[in-house]
Amino acid sequence: LGDDDRGIKGYRFRLDDQAVQDTPRGRGFTELVAPAPGTHTFQVQASDKAGNVATKSLHFTIDQTQPTLALSEPQDDLWTAATTLRVAGTYLETNLATLTVNGQPASAAGGTFSAEVTLQAGDTTITAHAVDKAGHLSAHDPTVVVHRDDVDPAVEILAPDAGALYA
């Protein structure tokens, strides 16, 4: 509410089109309201002694859940010679702020996400992480380990001797 309420007759407060409190001039909003999770509209209407009315609305969301993530690819304990690998999975969160794979932003839309990960020689741990707009961290950060081996196997023929002739 403004500092100068001269001429104000009163205020009307509404939450989701339901009256919350009517307040005469000189008093602010005092009723505590705990709306359910979801999207809401808070509205303040001021009327003055001349009959003029002004209304302002504010939209907000109550989010009390953590993002949920699952990896669909790659499979855990995968062996590959590739230097990059596609990572994909699903998320359950309507107010997603960020979704990362190994700290890098992933493409996320419609409940699915994907990213390309560079693999180092040896083992690479791949982890997905999400944060929603309310600041909730993902309940569980799914992790898989991928083994990169780009060294050809060693092959040795012990017998017969090279060039040997057998009858």
Side-chain angles (χ1 to χ4, degrees):
L1 303 179
D3 291 335
D4 182 10
D5 67 353
R6 291 177 300 167
I8 295 293
K9 180 179 176 183
Y11 300 98
R12 172 167 285 169
F13 301 93
R14 299 181 71 75
L15 180 63
D16 300 330
D17 289 326
Q18 300 294 315
V20 176
Q21 181 178 353
D22 289 339
T23 306
R25 182 184 80 80
R27 297 188 187 178
F29 182 71
T30 59
E31 189 170 318
L32 295 177
V33 177
T39 301
H40 301 280
T41 301
F42 182 72
Q43 186 180 67
V44 178
Q45 184 180 68
S47 58
D48 65 18
K49 293 174 185 173
N52 299 308
V53 176
T55 303
K56 292 286 183 178
S57 296
L58 168 74
H59 303 284
F60 65 96
T61 301
I62 301 291
D63 178 358
Q64 297 175 329
T65 60
Q66 296 172 287
T68 302
L69 300 174
L71 287 175
S72 54
E73 61 179 274
Q75 65 189 30
D76 191 27
D77 201 29
L78 173 73
W79 285 83
T80 183
T83 57
T84 62
L85 188 66
R86 180 179 187 269
V87 177
T90 59
Y91 67 91
L92 181 60
E93 175 58 57
T94 56
N95 299 301
L96 188 66
T98 62
L99 198 154
T100 60
V101 174
N102 282 11
Q104 299 302 310
S107 296
T112 62
F113 69 91
S114 64
E116 290 290 320
V117 172
T118 300
L119 302 175
Q120 304 302 318
D123 296 345
T124 299
T125 300
I126 298 172
T127 304
H129 178 73
V131 179
D132 70 15
K133 292 176 183 175
H136 299 120
L137 306 178
S138 41
H140 167 73
D141 291 345
T143 300
V144 296
V145 176
V146 174
H147 313 281
R148 179 173 163 242
D149 179 2
D150 60 354
V151 177
D152 293 335
V155 177
E156 184 178 350
I157 300 174
L158 300 176
D161 292 333
L165 182 62
Y166 296 94

